[in-house]
Amino acid sequence: MNINASASKAQVVITGAGPTGLMLAAELRLGGVDVVVVERRASGTVGESRAPGINARSVEILTQRGLGAKFLRLGKVLPGVLFSGIPMAPQDLDPEWPSAMILPQHQTERILTAHAVELGARFEWSTSVVDLRQDDRGVEVTVAGPSGPGTIHADYLVGADGGHSAVRRLCEVPFPGDDPVSWWVVGDVALDFPPDGRGVFGRNERIGTYQISRAEPGWFRLSLMRATPPVDRTAPVTLDELREVMRDGLGTDYGLSGARWMSRFSDGFRQITQYRQGRVFLAGDAGHTHSPIGGQGLNLGIQDAVNLGWKLAAVVNGTAPDALLDTYHQERHPIAATVLELTKAQTALIKPGAQNDALRAVVSEMLAVPETCLHLSGILSGLDLRYPLGDVHPLLGRRMPNLTLSTDQGATEVFDLLRSARPLLINFGADGLAATPPAWADRVDYIQAELPASSWHLPVFGEVPACDAVFVRPDGYIAWVNPAGMSLAYDTLVAALKQWVGHTRRGAITA
């Protein structure tokens, strides 16, 4: 597409080709939406670890889209969960706890870019959004690229352009929160004399908890607090600054000889008040910024994208009402608010001082209590998430486990059935449910399977009663349940389909 001073069209424009924007582009393409990704950089992230932590729920989501094996082949599976650097081992309490992993962000972006391109997403690199206007018919996005200025006319715009989001600024969205009081430097560095030869995760009275860990062959991930604030916190980090901060806080720079990426972060925390602004949406760091302690940013963004993608595709395609898009804010805003509060606590615990040392000791003891370990590990891993979809059954609103199903076509796993990002109705033996109700037959996949067990195990929650049938949204969350042994609640199934799929008969949309 050549924007050069001429109008272009797309059903959805996404600004930002980070993990959030890339995941959303792929989700929209699975829904058949024409999508253009606008990215100010000339290419994706190159040689940066940046946001390497991929939590257990994100690994599950990637597996649902057929990408899990690629990530696990390249990444390093984590043996546990860290709370401000304090290890927790939920797998010791629950052997079925799914794995999290570490993978440098440049590799994550490479996989997701290839995935989006394969599905047909279009990209405009070296292109920035400079203005936008919207009305009840669409959004006019003014951009500046290598060929000059141009305009893209779209049905919707999604700002996935990071903590300094241009889309957020142009929409004048309130962004309340806490101003920073402390700063850290971070980067991928080359060290001639790394501590212990392999790196270290340490703590001292001057800068608190610090990290020097091997990111990839030849490169170490460095993260440590500045003992004094930076003179200019907006200035790029330099090697000289890294040496100064290391010597000041650690007494040595361990032979720092180079860096492929350097940055800084702070303990500022902010979240927008509304994720939806008419036909404009904000996702990932564009909607919530916080310190990276705890590794939640990338995971929140990927899960924002998967929540929004199928909903936006259904509305763009005219098979669901506009009100469906309001549930994006309703569901995702509280999740990020909870994570931000937990991240504040973790960030406070990494700071130096005798009082914080004492608090860390107390917290370490608390984290050894099984109930506390499972509760906090559940939040950090994303496995405890429950959307407010009702209380008829404990599975409602929770993640569908990756059960191995026995069908007439052989054994299959639930996650394999979600690869196309379509709604899924699974019948484990409910009488009178031989297929998807006719009005939704073209929109909702149906499978008949044997009931795997009388109860299902969910990490964090333990054993929950099994069901005779479930309706699973494209993002993998259960939106309708027919409890085992109960007569088919056909009316509640129809209500769930109306709410989440919207299409009742050809050409008709219900609110």
Side-chain angles (χ1 to χ4, degrees), residues 423-425 444 469-473 477-480 493 496-497 500-501:
L424 176 65
L425 181 59
V444 179
V470 294
F471 169 57
V472 185
R473 303 189 324 187
Y477 290 91
I478 298 172
W480 172 82
L493 172 59
L497 292 172
W500 300 112
V501 185

Side-chain angles (χ1 to χ4, degrees), residues 2-8 143 147-151:
N2 183 6
I3 293 176
N4 188 17
S6 64
S8 298
V143 299
S147 301
T151 302

Side-chain angles (χ1 to χ4, degrees), residues 6 20 198 220 225 243 383 403 413 456:
S6 64
T20 302
R198 295 174 287 111
F220 288 84
M225 182 180 176
R243 289 192 182 96
L383 298 176
L403 303 174
E413 293 186 337
W456 299 349

Side-chain angles (χ1 to χ4, degrees), residues 350-388:
I350 72 169
K351 294 183 179 182
Q355 292 179 352
N356 274 355
D357 290 344
L359 183 58
R360 284 183 69 87
V362 172
V363 170
S364 295
E365 291 183 2
M366 294 173 62
L367 294 178
V369 176
E371 292 80 5
T372 305
C373 174
L374 290 175
H375 172 68
L376 292 178
S377 294
I379 298 174
L380 294 173
S381 66
L383 298 176
D384 79 324
L385 189 156
R386 186 180 189 185
Y387 291 129

Side-chain angles (χ1 to χ4, degrees), residues 32-390:
V33 173
D34 176 34
V35 59
V36 171
V37 181
V38 175
E39 170 56 54
R40 61 180 178 78
R41 298 171 298 170
S43 64
T45 297
V46 178
E48 296 180 9
S49 64
R50 195 172 288 270
I54 303 176
N55 70 19
R57 181 56 189 156
S58 292
V59 173
E60 288 189 331
I61 286 171
L62 295 167
T63 302
Q64 288 172 187
R65 298 301 186 251
L67 300 172
K70 293 180 181 179
F71 276 86
L72 290 169
R73 185 167 58 249
L74 292 172
K76 176 183 177 182
V77 174
L78 291 175
V81 179
L82 294 177
F83 186 89
S84 193
I86 303 169
M88 297 184 288
Q91 292 93 335
D92 291 347
L93 303 171
D94 185 347
E96 296 183 37
W97 195 280
S99 295
M101 62 178 296
I102 291 289
L103 185 68
Q105 184 172 326
H106 72 94
Q107 296 196 48
T108 293
E109 289 189 14
R110 180 172 57 81
I111 296 172
L112 292 180
T113 300
H115 179 52
V117 168
E118 182 180 4
L119 291 171
R122 296 183 285 155
F123 285 80
E124 284 293 322
W125 301 98
S126 302
T127 302
S128 300
V129 173
V130 296
D131 201 3
L132 66 90
R133 288 180 292 178
Q134 64 168 310
D135 56 28
D136 58 2
R137 294 173 298 175
V139 186
E140 184 178 274
V141 186
T142 304
V143 299
S147 301
T151 302
I152 308 175
H153 296 278
D155 295 330
Y156 295 93
L157 168 67
V158 181
D161 47 347
H164 300 287
S165 170
V167 173
R168 185 184 65 230
R169 174 178 52 80
L170 291 167
C171 287
E172 299 181 345
V173 182
F175 199 34
D178 304 328
D179 290 331
V181 296
S182 301
W183 287 264
W184 286 257
V185 290
V186 62
D188 291 339
V189 299
L191 303 176
D192 293 338
F193 313 106
D196 297 333
R198 295 174 287 111
V200 66
F201 194 89
R203 182 173 177 81
N204 68 37
E205 61 183 11
R206 184 157 178 77
I207 60 172
T209 304
Y210 60 90
Q211 173 188 1
I212 302 175
S213 58
R214 190 177 297 277
E216 291 179 293
W219 297 103
F220 288 84
R221 173 66 179 261
L222 169 73
S223 177
L224 68 160
M225 182 180 176
R226 289 188 56 110
T228 58
V231 175
D232 181 0
R233 60 186 179 183
T234 64
V237 179
T238 64
L239 273 178
D240 285 341
E241 180 182 353
L242 283 186
R243 289 192 182 96
E244 177 187 350
V245 173
M246 293 175 73
R247 290 168 181 168
D248 185 30
L250 303 174
T252 177
D253 63 12
Y254 292 107
L256 174 66
S257 58
R260 63 181 182 181
W261 164 65
M262 297 174 288
S263 186
R264 70 176 90 249
F265 67 86
S266 74
D267 56 357
F269 295 83
R270 295 188 179 278
Q271 185 181 21
I272 58 175
T273 54
Q274 285 290 330
Y275 284 11
R276 181 180 187 183
Q277 305 291 318
R279 288 180 171 266
V280 179
F281 298 85
L282 291 159
D285 288 350
H288 36 74
T289 59
H290 50 86
S291 94
I293 306 303
Q296 294 297 301
L298 176 144
N299 297 288
L300 281 174
I302 285 178
Q303 293 170 43
D304 283 349
V306 174
N307 183 282
L308 176 61
W310 65 274
K311 298 173 181 177
L312 188 52
V315 173
V316 168
N317 291 329
T319 59
D322 178 81
L324 179 62
L325 297 176
D326 293 331
T327 67
Y328 167 60
H329 170 85
Q330 293 162 6
E331 292 181 346
R332 295 303 302 169
H333 190 277
I335 301 302
T338 297
V339 168
L340 259 65
E341 286 300 301
L342 198 58
T343 303
K344 287 180 184 179
Q346 294 184 85
T347 303
L349 281 175
I350 72 169
K351 294 183 179 182
Q355 292 179 352
N356 274 355
D357 290 344
L359 183 58
R360 284 183 69 87
V362 172
V363 170
S364 295
E365 291 183 2
M366 294 173 62
L367 294 178
V369 176
E371 292 80 5
T372 305
C373 174
L374 290 175
H375 172 68
L376 292 178
S377 294
I379 298 174
L380 294 173
S381 66
L383 298 176
D384 79 324
L385 189 156
R386 186 180 189 185
Y387 291 129
L389 305 185

